[in-house]
Amino acid sequence: SSFLKRCRALLRVRNQLVRECLAELLAVFILILITLSGAAQMVTSSGTKGNILTSQVAGALAVMVAIYTGAGVSGAHLNPAFSFAMCLVGRLPWWKFPIFAAVQTFGSFIASAAVYALYYDAIWYYSNGTLSASGPLETASIFATYPADYLSISNGFVDQVIGTAVLLVGALAILDTRNNGIPKGLEPVAVGLLVFAIETSMGANCGSPINPARDFGPRLFTYVAGWGAEVFRWVEGRG
């Protein structure tokens, strides 16, 4: 018992900023690990062990679990767009924004590596040994979102502005103590349902990333892991 107490005292992090960064890192890691695993199960099984609905449910539940993981320390922003909004309304100092955004992106990156390790054999078996971002056996969409063939850059921009705006307005409404109250402790459940609503209604164009870290971190991972520069190109090389 005394040994465990000494270990806890030794490992205790007292710096508040470091505590917040570690909490945000762990929460984002959990978020991306579950979200991408849901997509990997769907893609590598060719839809026999999952479909778009199960993938969306996994993503929504991942948000709930991630918020429960880090909310007590960092607020579980999970998303640079949400951190930016918190800066705009004065709930987060501006100097913390780049730190949070970097930590969130890094958490997404290492979570992508964990999913790749978890589904390594399945990815290589499904893709016949070729890592591709296009074609019938592409696997890059496990990690990042890609636009539909018909989508223009301008429409993609509008899609993400509207989807992210709905996320932020909904989250702020849920957290507003002057609004109709949500039972204490159930806020993460409400946010998870909000994300599920966005995914099932606004996911056709871009896959509904609504989170720069969720998309860029995994996309960067696929770039360095062997999918190549194709992961940063728009459909049909338009940009």
Side-chain angles (χ1 to χ4, degrees):
S1 177
S2 60
F3 173 75
L4 292 177
K5 288 181 180 179
R6 287 197 297 270
C7 288
R8 284 197 293 267
L10 182 64
L11 296 173
R12 182 176 177 83
V13 178
R14 292 176 172 79
N15 183 280
Q16 183 60 28
L17 178 60
V18 175
R19 286 167 57 85
E20 291 175 359
C21 288
L22 290 174
E24 201 71 14
L25 181 69
L26 179 59
V28 172
F29 181 87
I30 294 295
L31 168 67
I32 303 303
L33 179 66
I34 298 175
T35 299
L36 300 190
S37 292
Q41 181 168 282
M42 174 186 67
V43 171
T44 59
S45 69
S46 299
T48 61
K49 296 180 180 178
N51 53 40
I52 187 62
L53 183 60
T54 63
S55 179
Q56 291 169 342
V57 170
L61 293 177
V63 171
M64 180 190 72
V65 176
I67 295 175
Y68 277 123
T69 299
V73 180
S74 68
H77 292 190
L78 311 176
N79 185 341
F82 187 79
S83 296
F84 185 77
M86 291 298 97
C87 291
L88 288 177
V89 298
R91 297 186 188 179
L92 182 73
W94 280 103
W95 64 268
K96 283 188 178 181
F97 171 68
I99 300 173
F100 269 45
V103 169
Q104 290 157 356
T105 302
F106 180 64
S108 297
F109 184 91
I110 60 176
S112 302
V115 172
Y116 182 58
L118 179 63
Y119 280 95
Y120 180 85
D121 288 346
I123 289 172
W124 283 96
Y125 177 79
Y126 172 81
S127 64
N128 288 330
T130 302
L131 300 179
S132 174
S134 59
L137 297 179
E138 64 81 21
T139 49
S141 63
I142 290 173
F143 298 91
T145 56
Y146 290 86
D149 291 340
Y150 58 78
L151 195 69
S152 65
I153 294 177
S154 58
N155 198 176
F157 177 79
V158 171
D159 177 273
Q160 283 308 287
V161 168
I162 293 175
T164 307
V166 171
L167 173 66
L168 296 178
V169 170
L172 289 174
I174 290 169
L175 297 174
D176 190 350
T177 57
R178 298 167 298 178
N179 208 344
N180 292 331
I182 292 176
K184 186 173 178 59
L186 292 181
E187 296 89 349
V189 178
V191 176
L193 291 173
L194 169 63
V195 171
F196 182 64
I198 295 171
E199 289 179 333
T200 54
S201 62
M202 304 179 189
N205 287 332
C206 297
S208 191
I210 56 175
N211 182 341
R214 178 261 177 273
D215 190 82
F216 181 71
R219 193 180 302 274
L220 183 62
F221 171 78
T222 55
Y223 173 70
V224 302
W227 277 264
E230 186 181 7
V231 300
F232 282 108
R233 297 197 184 104
W234 195 263
V235 170
E236 297 177 358
R238 289 199 297 262

